[in-house]
């Protein structure tokens, strides 16, 4: 009997389908060895030797695997094809006491029968360069967390922590918020008009002013309303004609298949899936779903930074496209995408369906609604990447108005000539904007209407899942497996919260921690320094750097700085306590405003001897729609998500994630709430809604 060990029970069930009775498949349920939680677990004086233990929750699993391994002729370690998976395989050999002769490592990027059988034909040994890279990351993160966190407990607030890659991400969010707070909006104006050919009033051409004489207008060129009105009056007096009409074909290329970061970004943009939710759904699709009573892996491995596609997958995509849509939708040769990252692991594949013939609608009954959305996105993106470009006919029309000055208006319209890849990728939105027929250069026009529109410059947007991941990738902070955990940790620590649009903003505690790190530990939050460490980890994975030296070069200067700051920093200057005139209702001493993990709270100055505390919540000046006695206040959940509740809680149980309004529904008289795009009735059985 051969024992195959994977990480998850779902993966175990899927692989069992492909193997005969000579194989037994078992699951390790993730890592079975780790550093201890109660102490550092790293011998910094002995070349940073890690002191691994088997956690309590894994001991029963290890015992069961040992029994199975003792009966097996050979153990096959089939963990995931990345550094984390390689490390789990290594820890299995240690915990199960497997020597080089008693195990083989098999690697596959999709859980299909052909991939499993091919992996069995090509067994290998553990890649210790990958193990060392994962081990180095784990040790670096442990050293930062276990050395820096106690300093934060002493100088800021007990229970805080700082992470090596989370801290630069926090800095991005804090600096963006400061940029927004310091933003000074500017007013500017634009002009657009509606033109008609003479004696043809029903024909309308909408166009925007883009040039005056030889000067191309920029966004902020027209800042004065009075000047705008003068230009408008001058235009109205002018003579108008079509100056030029130019038509040309425009080709739109399909996007490459997904990597981890682009999948997370696109899933957020289209479905508002958090990075964590996207990866959870992708894991389920990768490990396998029950399709017609058979466990089937639907996508390839979802942690990757490569655009590479296997020749077999390209051939299968070609056959599907030819059969489903006809030869005009196929390519003469496959379209190959090259990664922009010089450190991308080209041995990996992009995220794609394991079988193009598993079209989304075909397997929809076997998926949850969210699984279907993500699978359809992955499937469509891959198939579209191997189809011809879409072709549009684009018309550029310029209208000239002669008055005291020469004014030029433009209109750009487009018509779809050939849909190409858009036939299967419905997520790229486009609108055909048709110009009236029979327009010719030199055709005289009259002005039906001229609009002077006021605009205001907007502050930079807060980061959301998509834009934060894109920026982290741009700076080289983190890797495909770390983007979702970075965001989750910042939310769980209470350093950041989400606003109504699901974008991130820093809480006071997050700002204080960030400012302390920026001032006193600049390397920890320096984008370039963090990126260089990531490159060092990649070089370790390639066997080009020695992991202990990378850690040594980082740790000893860092430790020296920790020791220095322990004596220099004063808690009162970092997180000051504000004394108030109010009196404690329990003991009569003064109240103070203290900083807590989820914001400021009122407490007795004799706290914790006097236990009185009260949360400070922001009111929105609306009576509670449930009890009518309290006020609606903004609160935050333990995960940092903002919600609305009654100030009389727990006597009143009112709570809502949507902002309540001091207005009742005209249909059922329930209170109204405001969402991102509309105002609607809070009563789920009532259909009333209106745009914002």
């Amino acid at each position: 009997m051969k024992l195959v060990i994977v990480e998850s029970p779902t993966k175990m069930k899927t692989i069992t389908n492909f193997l005969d009775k000579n194989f037994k498949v078992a699951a390790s349920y993730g890592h079975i060895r780790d550093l201890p939680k109660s102490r550092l677990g790293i011998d910094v004086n002995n070349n940073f030797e890690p002191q691994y233990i088997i956690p309590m929750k894994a001991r029963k699993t290890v015992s069961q695997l040992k029994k199975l391994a003792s009966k097996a002729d050979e153990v096959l370690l089939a963990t995931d094809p990345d550094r984390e998976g390689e490390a789990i395989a290594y820890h299995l050999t240690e915990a199960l006491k497997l020597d080089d002769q008693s195990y083989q490592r098999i690697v596959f990027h999709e859980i299909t029968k052909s991939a499993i059988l091919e992996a069995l034909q090509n067994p290998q040994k553990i890649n210790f360069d990958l193990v060392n890279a994962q081990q180095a990351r784990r040790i670096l993160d442990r050293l930062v967390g276990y050395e820096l966190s106690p300093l934060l407990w002493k100088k800021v607030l007990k229970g805080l922590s700082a992470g090596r890659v989370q801290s630069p991400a926090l800095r991005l969010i804090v600096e963006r918020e400061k940029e927004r707070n310091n933003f000074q909006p500017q007013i500017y104006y634009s002009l657009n008009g509606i033109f008609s050919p003479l004696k043809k009033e029903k024909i309308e051409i909408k166009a925007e002013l883009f040039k005056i004489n030889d000067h191309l207008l920029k966004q902020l060129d027209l800042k004065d309303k009075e000047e705008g009105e003068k230009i408008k009056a001058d235009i109205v007096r002018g003579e108008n004609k079509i100056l030029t009409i130019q038509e040309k074909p425009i080709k739109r290329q399909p996007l490459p298949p997904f990597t981890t970061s682009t999948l997370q970004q696109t899933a957020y943009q289209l479905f508002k899936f958090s990075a964590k939710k996207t990866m959870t759904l992708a894991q389920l699709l990768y490990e396998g779903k029950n399709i017609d009573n058979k466990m089937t892996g639907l996508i390839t491995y979802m942690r990757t930074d490569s655009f590479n596609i296997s020749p077999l997958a390209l051939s299968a995509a070609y056959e599907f496209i030819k059969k489903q849509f006809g030869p005009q939708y196929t390519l003469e040769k496959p379209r190959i995408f090259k990664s922009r990252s010089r450190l991308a692991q080209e041995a990996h594949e992009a995220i794609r369906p394991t079988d193009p013939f598993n079209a989304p609608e075909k397997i929809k009954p076997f998926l949850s609604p969210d699984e279907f959305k993500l699978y359809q996105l992955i499937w469509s993106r891959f198939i579209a990447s191997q189809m011809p470009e879409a072709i549009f006919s684009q018309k550029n029309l310029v209208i000239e108005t002669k008055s005291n000055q020469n004014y030029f208006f433009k209109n750009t319209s487009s018509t779809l000539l050939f849909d190409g890849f858009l036939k299967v990728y419905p997520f790229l939105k486009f609108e055909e904007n048709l110009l009236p027929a029979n327009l010719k250069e030199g055709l005289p026009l009259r002005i039906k209407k001229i609009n002077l529109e006021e605009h205001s410059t907007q502050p930079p947007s807060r980061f959301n899942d998509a834009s934060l991941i894109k920026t982290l990738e741009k700076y080289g902070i983190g890797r495909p497996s770390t983007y979702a955990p970075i965001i989750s940790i910042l939310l769980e620590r209470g350093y950041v919260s989400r606003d109504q649009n699901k974008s991130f903003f820093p809480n006071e505690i997050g700002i204080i921690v960030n400012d302390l790190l920026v001032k006193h530990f600049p390397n920890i939050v320096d984008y370039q320094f963090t990126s260089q460490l990531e490159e060092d980890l990649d070089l370790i994975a390639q066997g080009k750097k020695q992991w202990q030296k990378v850690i040594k070069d980082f740790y000893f200067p860092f430790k020296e700085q920790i020791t220095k700051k322990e004596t220099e920093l004063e808690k009162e200057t970092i997180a000051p306590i504000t004394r108030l005139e109010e009196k404690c209702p329990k003991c009569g001493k003064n109240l103070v405003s203290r900083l807590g993990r989820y914001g400021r709270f009122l407490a007795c100055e004799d706290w914790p001897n006097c236990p009185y505390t009260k949360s400070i919540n922001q009111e929105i000046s609306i009576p509670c729609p449930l009890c009518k006695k309290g006020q609606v206040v903004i609160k935050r959940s333990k995960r940092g998500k903002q919600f609305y509740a009654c100030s009389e809680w727990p006597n009143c149980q009112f709570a809502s994630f949507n902002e309540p309004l001091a207005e009742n529904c005209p249909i059922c008289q329930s209170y109204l709430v405001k969402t991102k795009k509309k105002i609607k009735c809070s009563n789920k059985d009532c259909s009333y809604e209106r745009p914002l």
Side-chain angles (χ1 to χ4, degrees):
M1 182 265 289
K2 292 186 177 182
L3 176 64
V4 180
I5 303 179
V6 297
E7 298 98 326
S8 80
T10 305
K11 192 174 176 182
M12 175 183 73
K13 290 177 185 176
T14 307
I15 290 178
T16 300
N17 289 332
F18 309 137
L19 301 176
D20 59 34
K21 295 180 180 179
N22 294 321
F23 291 87
K24 168 71 176 175
V25 187
S28 72
Y29 294 86
H31 279 278
I32 47 86
R33 289 206 315 169
D34 200 358
L35 297 173
K37 288 186 177 180
S38 59
R39 53 191 169 86
L40 182 63
I42 299 162
D43 191 345
V44 296
N45 297 314
N46 185 25
N47 221 8
F48 301 95
E49 188 67 28
Q51 299 162 342
Y52 292 114
I53 63 164
I54 298 174
M56 187 67 69
K57 66 178 183 179
R59 289 178 186 176
K60 183 178 179 181
T61 300
V62 170
S63 177
Q64 292 171 342
L65 291 175
K66 277 184 177 178
K67 289 179 183 178
L68 290 171
S70 66
K71 300 174 183 177
D73 300 320
E74 187 178 33
V75 177
L76 299 168
L77 304 175
T79 48
D80 287 340
D82 59 8
R83 299 174 195 175
E84 204 75 21
E86 208 72 21
I88 292 174
Y90 160 69
H91 288 305
L92 282 166
T93 65
E94 293 290 304
L96 305 183
K97 297 183 170 22
L98 304 176
D99 57 39
D100 279 358
Q101 306 306 313
S102 59
Y103 87 89
Q104 295 283 2
R105 170 82 167 111
I106 60 171
V107 177
F108 43 86
H109 297 273
E110 60 184 69
I111 306 179
T112 59
K113 185 172 184 177
S114 59
I116 303 300
L117 294 180
E118 183 180 353
L120 289 170
Q121 294 298 316
N122 297 281
Q124 49 195 259
K125 293 299 178 183
I126 287 172
N127 183 332
F128 279 94
D129 290 332
L130 296 182
V131 174
N132 288 336
Q134 189 277 340
Q135 184 168 258
R137 177 185 289 280
R138 185 76 180 93
I139 291 173
L140 278 171
D141 292 345
R142 170 58 67 99
L143 290 171
V144 171
Y146 272 56
E147 297 282 10
L148 191 51
S149 296
L151 180 69
L152 294 178
W153 300 350
K154 293 177 190 174
K155 306 302 181 181
V156 185
L157 185 69
K158 191 168 179 62
L160 297 181
S161 58
R164 186 181 60 83
V165 288
Q166 293 85 21
S167 297
L170 175 61
R171 179 186 171 190
L172 284 169
I173 294 169
V174 171
E175 289 185 345
R176 176 60 58 87
E177 196 68 16
K178 290 179 178 178
E179 196 178 346
R180 286 170 57 83
N181 292 337
N182 295 329
F183 180 79
Q184 297 294 325
Q186 291 181 275
I187 301 297
Y188 66 98
Y189 296 86
S190 67
L191 282 140
N192 58 74
I194 299 176
F195 300 81
S196 291
L198 301 180
K199 299 181 181 180
K200 293 183 180 180
E201 296 290 323
K202 291 184 179 180
I203 296 178
E204 293 185 345
I205 306 168
K206 296 178 181 179
E208 182 179 0
L209 180 68
F210 77 100
K211 187 167 75 167
I212 301 177
N213 296 327
D214 293 327
H215 177 68
L216 289 172
L217 293 176
K218 297 175 184 175
Q219 184 186 48
L220 299 177
D221 277 356
L222 194 53
K223 296 180 182 178
D224 184 72
K225 185 175 183 180
E226 187 176 339
E227 182 187 357
E229 293 289 0
K230 288 179 180 177
I231 292 173
K232 177 180 175 180
D234 194 31
I235 290 171
V236 170
R237 293 191 295 267
E239 294 182 353
N240 317 286
K241 69 175 182 179
I242 296 178
L243 183 65
T244 59
I245 300 177
Q246 295 179 336
E247 186 172 2
K248 60 180 179 180
I250 298 291
K251 294 182 178 180
R252 188 168 187 176
Q253 299 287 340
L255 295 165
F258 284 119
T259 61
T260 303
S261 70
T262 56
L263 178 63
Q264 291 172 352
Q265 291 172 52
T266 308
Y268 177 83
Q269 290 160 350
L270 293 175
F271 314 130
K272 288 294 180 281
F273 287 173
S274 67
K276 183 177 181 179
K277 179 174 183 176
T278 296
M279 295 311 288
T280 300
L281 293 170
Q283 184 89 30
L284 294 171
L285 296 174
Y286 165 69
E287 291 183 347
K289 299 296 297 182
N290 192 333
I291 310 293
D292 288 327
N293 296 317
K294 182 179 179 182
M295 291 297 290
T296 306
L298 294 175
I299 65 170
T300 53
Y301 192 55
M302 63 285 161
R303 294 184 181 93
T304 177
D305 53 7
S306 171
F307 290 137
N308 191 36
I309 297 292
S310 74
L312 283 175
L314 291 172
S315 176
Y318 177 89
E319 292 302 322
F320 172 82
I321 294 166
K322 184 178 180 180
K323 181 178 180 180
Q324 190 71 23
F325 306 116
Q328 70 272 31
Y329 285 96
T330 61
L331 300 175
E332 289 186 8
K333 59 182 181 179
R335 185 181 284 108
I336 305 299
F337 297 90
K338 292 293 183 182
S339 173
R340 291 185 293 272
S341 169
R342 61 186 179 85
L343 294 170
Q345 301 175 61
E346 293 298 338
H348 289 180
E349 281 199 67
I351 305 169
R352 61 166 177 82
T354 55
D355 182 359
F357 286 87
N358 276 333
E361 291 298 330
K362 177 182 174 183
I363 62 172
K364 186 176 183 179
F366 308 102
L367 305 178
S368 72
D370 286 343
E371 288 170 345
F372 172 75
K373 285 180 182 177
L374 196 69
Y375 180 74
Q376 183 185 39
L377 181 62
I378 293 168
W379 183 91
S380 300
R381 181 82 159 235
F382 170 65
I383 297 298
S385 75
Q386 297 305 312
M387 294 176 72
E389 61 269 15
I391 302 175
F392 295 82
S393 173
Q394 180 175 292
K395 274 187 181 179
N396 295 310
L397 179 146
V398 176
I399 296 170
E400 181 184 36
T401 299
K402 286 190 173 184
S403 189
N404 291 327
Q405 300 188 85
N406 286 355
Y407 303 95
F408 300 91
F409 294 79
K410 67 177 178 182
N411 173 294
T412 301
S413 65
S414 59
T415 307
L416 182 64
L417 300 179
F418 175 61
D419 55 1
F421 75 94
L422 292 174
K423 197 170 192 69
V424 298
Y425 197 70
F427 305 104
L428 283 180
K429 302 299 182 184
F430 70 93
E431 291 184 5
E432 290 187 293
N433 173 24
L434 301 177
L435 275 173
N438 302 320
L439 297 180
K440 297 180 180 179
E441 292 182 357
L443 180 69
L445 304 173
R446 66 177 292 272
I447 295 175
K448 293 185 72 173
K449 190 175 184 181
I450 288 288
N451 299 309
L452 178 65
E453 294 186 354
E454 181 179 293
H455 311 274
S456 176
T457 56
Q458 299 298 308
S461 300
R462 284 172 168 163
F463 285 108
N464 54 38
D465 289 65
S467 57
L468 182 60
I469 290 169
K470 185 176 182 179
T471 305
L472 290 172
E473 188 177 39
K474 171 187 171 185
Y475 283 122
I477 298 169
R479 284 300 180 261
S481 61
T482 64
Y483 299 134
I486 285 172
I487 292 171
S488 296
I489 289 171
L490 291 178
L491 288 166
E492 289 163 8
R493 287 176 179 168
Y495 290 167
V496 306
S497 294
R498 292 185 187 271
D499 62 18
Q500 277 190 305
N501 299 325
K502 294 191 174 182
S503 298
F504 305 114
F505 65 91
N507 296 322
E508 184 180 5
I509 188 66
I511 295 171
I512 288 173
V513 169
N514 173 75
D515 290 352
L516 183 149
L517 295 177
V518 168
K519 184 175 181 180
H520 300 286
F521 298 92
N523 275 357
I524 294 297
V525 290
D526 182 78
Y527 306 133
Q528 188 172 353
F529 181 82
T530 307
S531 175
Q532 183 57 56
L533 266 180
E534 292 291 352
E535 289 199 23
D536 287 342
L537 292 172
D538 288 341
L539 292 172
I540 292 169
Q542 296 169 25
K544 296 178 180 178
K545 271 206 170 186
Q546 204 258 352
W547 71 269
Q548 289 97 335
K549 184 177 186 310
V550 170
I551 295 174
K552 179 182 177 182
D553 291 345
F554 168 83
Y555 176 70
F556 289 112
F558 170 67
K559 178 63 175 176
E560 184 180 341
Q561 187 76 344
I562 289 277
T563 305
K564 180 182 176 185
K565 294 301 176 180
E566 281 180 340
T567 56
E568 285 183 3
L569 295 178
E570 295 292 336
K571 183 172 183 177
E572 288 72 19
T573 63
I574 298 170
I577 296 172
T578 307
R579 283 170 171 76
L580 308 172
E581 295 302 320
E582 300 168 51
K583 297 296 181 182
C584 173
K586 279 192 178 289
C587 71
K589 294 183 179 180
N590 282 346
L591 290 179
V592 296
S593 169
R594 290 179 177 272
L595 182 65
R597 189 170 180 183
Y598 295 101
R600 289 201 166 267
F601 65 97
L602 293 180
C604 179
E605 65 179 350
D606 196 26
W607 183 86
N609 295 324
C610 175
Y612 178 78
T613 60
K614 184 182 179 182
S615 61
I616 302 174
N617 295 306
Q618 178 187 346
E619 292 188 358
I620 61 171
S621 301
I622 295 175
C624 172
L626 196 61
C627 71
K628 311 296 183 185
K629 295 177 182 178
Q631 292 288 311
V632 175
V633 295
I634 300 174
K635 291 190 173 186
R636 306 214 187 287
S637 68
K638 289 185 177 179
R639 297 199 170 197
K641 189 171 183 180
Q642 179 176 292
F643 68 98
Y644 300 86
C646 180
S647 60
E648 294 294 308
W649 186 91
N651 296 325
C652 176
Q653 298 292 315
F654 169 76
S656 171
F657 283 114
N658 292 319
E659 181 182 348
L661 302 177
E663 184 182 351
N664 291 335
C665 172
I667 297 176
C668 71
Q669 298 305 306
S670 298
Y671 67 91
L672 297 179
V673 295
K674 182 168 72 172
T675 67
K676 183 180 177 182
K677 296 181 179 179
K678 59 190 175 184
I679 291 171
K680 67 175 185 177
C681 183
S682 61
N683 181 357
K684 293 181 179 179
D685 296 325
C686 180
S687 60
Y688 176 78
E689 62 180 46
R690 69 173 189 256
L692 282 175

